[in-house]
C-alpha cells in the first residue's frame, strides 16, 4: 500500500544530483564503481545506523563502546547468554541501498480535461542481511522475501543459536583472567631465561679468558732457560697435567651451560603449553563458528 511504500522509500533531495548524470541501467553487481548518489545514500544510512546504535538498537556493531553489565555476566541460562553475547560481542552486519525512482499519475483537477499529470521522485530503499535484534525486518527497512526464521526450531534458528553459544564461549575465553595470567607467566619465564643464559655466557667467556692467561703463564714457566734434563722432564709432565685440568674446566662450563639452557627451555615449554591450551581452544571455536556460519 501507499503508506508502506512511503515508509520504505527515502526521497533524495534534488540538490544532491543532476538528472542528466543519473545512470539509465543497473551496474554490473560484481565489478563497478559506485555512483556518487549511491555513496551519498550509503552515508545517510550510516548516520541512521549510528543514531539507532546510540538510542534503541542493542546489536553491537563496534560503533559504540559497550559497558559490561554485571548482572548478565554471571547468568547461565540460554536466554541471558544469548542476550549477553549480542551486547558484548562485536558482530558485523551487511546493509545495502538501492536507488529507485517512483512514478505517480494524477488526474487533472479540471473536470472538462482528460489529461493526466505524471510526477517522479528519486530516492532509495534500504535493507540488511539476515536478522537484526532477532527480527527479519525493522521500521523503514525492506522486509525479506522469504522468512527462514519463522520456524523456531528450523535450521536457521537452531544454527544461529549455536553460533551465539560459540560467540559467548569465545568471548569468555578471550576475557578470562586466567588467560592473561598464563601469558604473563610465559613472558616472565622467557625473560628470566634470556637473562640467566646471557649471564651464563658472560661467565663462560670470562672463564675462557682466565684459562687463556693461565696457559700463557704456565708456558712461560715451562720455557725456563735451565737445561737440566730432570727439570725439563718434570715441567713437561706438569704442563700436560695443567692442560688436562684446563680441558676439564672448559668441559664443565659447557655442561653447566647446557644444563641451565635445558632447565629454562623446559620451564618455558611448560608455560607455553598452558598458554596454548586456551589459545588453541579459542582458534578451534573461531574455526567452528566460521564453518557453521558458512552453512547457514
Amino acid at each position: 500500500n501507499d503508506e508502506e511504500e512511503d515508509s520504505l522509500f527515502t526521497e533524495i533531495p534534488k540538490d544532491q544530483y543532476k538528472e542528466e548524470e543519473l545512470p539509465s541501467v543497473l551496474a554490473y553487481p560484481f565489478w563497478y564503481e559506485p555512483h556518487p548518489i549511491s555513496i551519498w545514500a550509503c552515508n545517510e544510512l550510516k548516520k541512521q545506523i549510528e543514531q539507532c546504535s546510540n538510542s534503541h538498537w542493542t546489536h553491537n556493531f563496534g560503533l559504540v563502546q559497550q559497558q559490561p553489565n554485571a548482572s548478565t555476566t554471571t547468568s547461565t541460562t540460554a536466554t541471558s547468554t544469548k542476550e549477553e553475547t549480542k551486547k558484548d560481542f562485536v558482530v558485523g552486519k551487511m546493509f545495502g541501498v538501492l536507488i529507485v525512482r517512483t512514478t505517480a499519475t494524477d488526474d487533472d483537477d479540471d473536470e472538462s480535461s482528460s489529461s493526466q499529470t505524471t510526477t517522479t521522485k528519486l530516492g532509495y530503499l534500504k535493507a540488511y542481511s539476515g536478522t537484526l535484534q532477532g527480527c527479519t525486518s525493522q521500521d523503514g527497512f525492506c522486509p525479506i522475501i522469504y522468512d527462514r526464521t519463522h520456524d523456531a526450531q528450523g535450521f536457521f534458528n537452531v544454527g544461529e543459536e549455536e553460533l551465539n553459544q560459540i560467540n559467548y564461549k569465545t568471548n569468555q575465553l578471550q576475557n578470562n583472567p586466567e588467560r592473561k595470567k598464563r601469558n604473563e607467566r610465559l613472558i616472565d619465564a622467557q625473560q628470566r631465561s634470556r637473562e640467566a643464559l646471557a649471564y651464563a655466557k658472560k661467565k663462560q667467556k670470562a672463564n675462557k679468558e682466565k684459562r687463556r692467561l693461565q696457559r700463557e703463564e704456565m708456558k712461560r714457566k715451562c720455557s725456563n732457560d735451565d737445561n737440566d734434563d730432570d727439570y725439563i722432564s718434570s715441567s713437561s709432565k706438569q704442563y700436560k697435567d695443567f692442560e688436562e685440568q684446563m680441558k676439564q674446566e672448559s668441559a664443565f662450563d659447557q655442561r653447566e651451560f647446557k644444563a641451565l639452557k635445558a632447565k629454562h627451555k623446559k620451564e618455558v615449554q611448560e608455560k607455553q603449553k598452558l598458554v596454548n591450551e586456551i589459545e588453541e581452544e579459542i582458534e578451534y571455536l573461531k574455526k567452528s563458528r566460521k564453518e557453521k556460519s558458512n552453512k547457514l
Side-chain angles (χ1 to χ4, degrees):
N1 55 48
D2 293 340
E3 183 179 348
E4 183 179 357
E5 289 178 357
D6 289 341
S7 68
L8 300 179
F9 179 81
T10 303
E11 186 175 0
I12 299 175
K14 292 185 180 298
D15 59 0
Q16 293 297 329
Y17 63 93
K18 295 180 180 179
E19 282 288 342
E20 62 273 15
E21 294 179 356
L22 294 177
S24 58
V25 295
L26 284 173
Y28 180 61
F30 302 108
W31 186 263
Y32 70 100
E33 285 291 332
H35 191 275
I37 198 63
S38 297
I39 296 176
W40 179 88
C42 285
N43 289 331
E44 290 298 300
L45 178 55
K46 287 179 182 179
K47 295 176 184 177
Q48 181 182 349
I49 294 172
E50 290 179 355
Q51 290 172 356
C52 292
S53 297
N54 282 314
S55 57
H56 58 283
W57 281 0
T58 59
H59 185 101
N60 188 1
F61 298 101
L63 301 174
V64 181
Q65 183 65 36
Q66 300 290 327
Q67 295 298 326
N69 191 330
S71 62
T72 59
T73 55
T74 57
S75 177
T76 58
T77 65
T79 302
S80 61
T81 296
K82 186 173 180 179
E83 291 304 318
E84 181 181 343
T85 300
K86 290 179 179 178
K87 292 178 181 178
D88 298 337
F89 199 82
V90 176
V91 180
K93 176 64 62 176
M94 183 171 66
F95 289 82
V97 297
L98 177 65
I99 307 300
V100 296
R101 187 190 294 277
T102 63
T103 302
T105 303
D106 299 320
D107 294 331
D108 287 344
D109 294 336
D110 187 354
E111 295 181 358
S112 62
S113 174
S114 60
S115 63
Q116 295 179 324
T117 302
T118 301
T119 59
T120 64
K121 292 180 180 180
L122 189 72
Y124 62 91
L125 303 176
K126 52 186 181 290
Y128 57 84
S129 66
T131 62
L132 182 59
Q133 309 213 137
C135 299
T136 56
S137 63
Q138 296 283 338
D139 291 342
F141 287 85
C142 293
I144 60 174
I145 298 174
Y146 168 67
D147 190 355
R148 59 183 177 177
T149 67
H150 181 70
D151 183 4
Q153 298 302 318
F155 171 77
F156 182 79
N157 272 335
V158 172
E160 187 183 47
E161 179 60 28
E162 290 178 356
L163 294 183
N164 287 334
Q165 291 292 336
I166 293 175
N167 288 342
Y168 175 76
K169 291 178 182 178
T170 303
N171 195 35
Q172 289 294 97
L173 284 173
Q174 289 177 328
N175 294 286
N176 189 347
E178 181 61 24
R179 182 193 184 203
K180 183 179 179 181
K181 289 180 182 178
R182 292 186 183 187
N183 278 284
E184 289 175 347
R185 290 167 186 159
L186 172 61
I187 294 173
D188 180 63
Q190 291 171 334
Q191 180 64 25
R192 285 189 285 106
S193 174
R194 286 191 292 268
E195 291 175 355
L197 293 180
Y199 176 79
K201 283 183 178 180
K202 186 177 180 180
K203 181 180 178 182
Q204 194 178 35
K205 186 177 181 180
N207 288 342
K208 184 177 181 180
E209 177 63 15
K210 181 180 178 182
R211 288 192 295 273
R212 185 186 69 79
L213 295 175
Q214 288 177 331
R215 284 191 177 96
E216 291 181 357
E217 179 64 21
M218 180 58 70
K219 285 180 181 179
R220 283 196 295 272
K221 288 182 179 180
C222 292
S223 61
N224 195 297
D225 291 336
D226 192 341
N227 292 325
D228 184 86
D229 291 340
D230 292 337
Y231 177 82
I232 295 174
S233 176
S234 62
S235 295
S236 178
K237 183 179 183 303
Q238 182 182 5
Y239 184 79
K240 287 180 180 180
D241 292 343
F242 168 79
E243 186 60 33
E244 181 62 27
Q245 179 185 345
M246 294 294 99
K247 289 180 180 180
Q248 290 180 5
E249 288 183 5
S250 176
F252 175 80
D253 283 352
Q254 292 177 16
R255 289 194 302 270
E256 192 177 50
F257 181 80
K258 186 179 291 187
L260 181 67
K261 187 176 181 180
K263 172 189 173 184
H264 282 281
K265 182 179 179 180
K266 181 181 178 182
E267 183 181 357
V268 170
Q269 286 177 339
E270 290 174 349
K271 298 292 188 295
Q272 184 70 64
K273 183 179 178 181
L274 293 175
V275 168
N276 290 346
E277 287 178 359
I278 296 179
E279 298 304 318
E280 288 173 1
E281 188 172 358
I282 290 175
E283 287 305 311
Y284 170 78
L285 289 171
K286 287 183 177 180
K287 182 179 178 181
S288 177
R289 187 194 187 285
K290 184 177 181 180
E291 291 175 352
K292 289 181 180 293
S293 179
N294 289 337
K295 292 179 181 179
L296 287 179

